[in-house]
Amino acid sequence: MAAACIFCKIIKGEIPSFKLFESQHILAFLDINPLSRGHALVIPKHHGEKLTDIPDEQLREILPVVKKLALATGAENYNILQNNGRIAHQVVDHVHFHMDEGWREGGADAAADTEAERDRGLEYVMADAADGYGEAEKLFRGGQGEDVSWDR
């Protein structure tokens, strides 16, 4: 882990986060600056700036967890995004995948809705997202602590 990396500090518990899922290799949590309700980040615990820096075994769980998060929100339309490098709009130099509901139908009104959600503050967005993720633990652990099938 990199000492100055904000995501490494979140992994180590030095910075608080609203955790959605954690395993030996990955951590999923709500974005502190959400673009939409339930905007989540899924990160490998292994520090690497770009996708090609992460060992394969650290990547195996990521897309299944991103899929579960998408299912947990109930969003019909959503974005899954992963950027590599500044030119590709990567802001934090630790591999991470975004899962968010993306832009809503309605063009300019969609941006206003997103801006209004931001204005309500992080605490409201987190509570709102928690409603959407209320069943996430059941999705992740089958309600009894066991893994469940991801087939859909």
Side-chain angles (χ1 to χ4, degrees):
M1 287 193 210
C5 173
I6 190 168
F7 288 168
C8 289
K9 289 179 179 182
I10 290 171
I11 291 166
K12 291 187 274 185
E14 295 173 4
I15 296 176
S17 67
F18 191 99
K19 290 182 186 178
L20 301 170
F21 177 79
E22 185 170 18
S23 72
Q24 178 183 353
H25 297 296
I26 66 167
L27 176 65
F29 54 95
L30 290 178
D31 193 304
I32 197 162
N33 207 2
L35 297 176
S36 66
R37 184 182 80 82
H39 181 175
L41 299 174
V42 181
I43 65 173
K45 289 185 175 181
H46 179 92
H47 179 81
E49 291 184 20
K50 296 183 179 179
L51 187 64
T52 53
D53 297 333
I54 307 297
D56 289 349
E57 67 272 3
Q58 297 281 326
L59 294 171
R60 286 192 175 96
E61 285 182 273
I62 289 181
L63 285 180
V65 169
V66 171
K67 178 181 175 182
K68 284 183 182 183
L69 293 174
L71 289 169
T73 67
E76 186 175 322
N77 301 294
Y78 50 88
N79 292 322
I80 307 298
L81 180 66
Q82 196 276 318
N83 302 323
N84 293 277
R86 291 284 183 261
I87 292 175
H89 307 287
Q90 183 179 10
V91 176
V92 177
D93 292 330
H94 185 119
V95 169
H96 56 286
F97 290 74
H98 295 263
M99 195 299 300
D100 72 77
E101 291 185 33
W103 297 106
R104 297 184 183 138
E105 291 182 27
D109 291 338
D113 288 345
T114 301
E115 195 63 39
E117 285 178 356
R118 278 192 212 136
D119 290 346
R120 285 184 285 204
L122 179 61
E123 186 173 324
Y124 179 84
V125 172
M126 288 172 62
D128 197 27
D131 289 341
Y133 289 122
E135 298 298 310
E137 183 61 25
K138 289 180 184 174
L139 285 171
F140 287 118
R141 300 292 180 210
Q144 303 298 319
E146 73 271 10
D147 288 331
V148 295
S149 170
W150 288 98
D151 296 335
R152 268 264 181 177

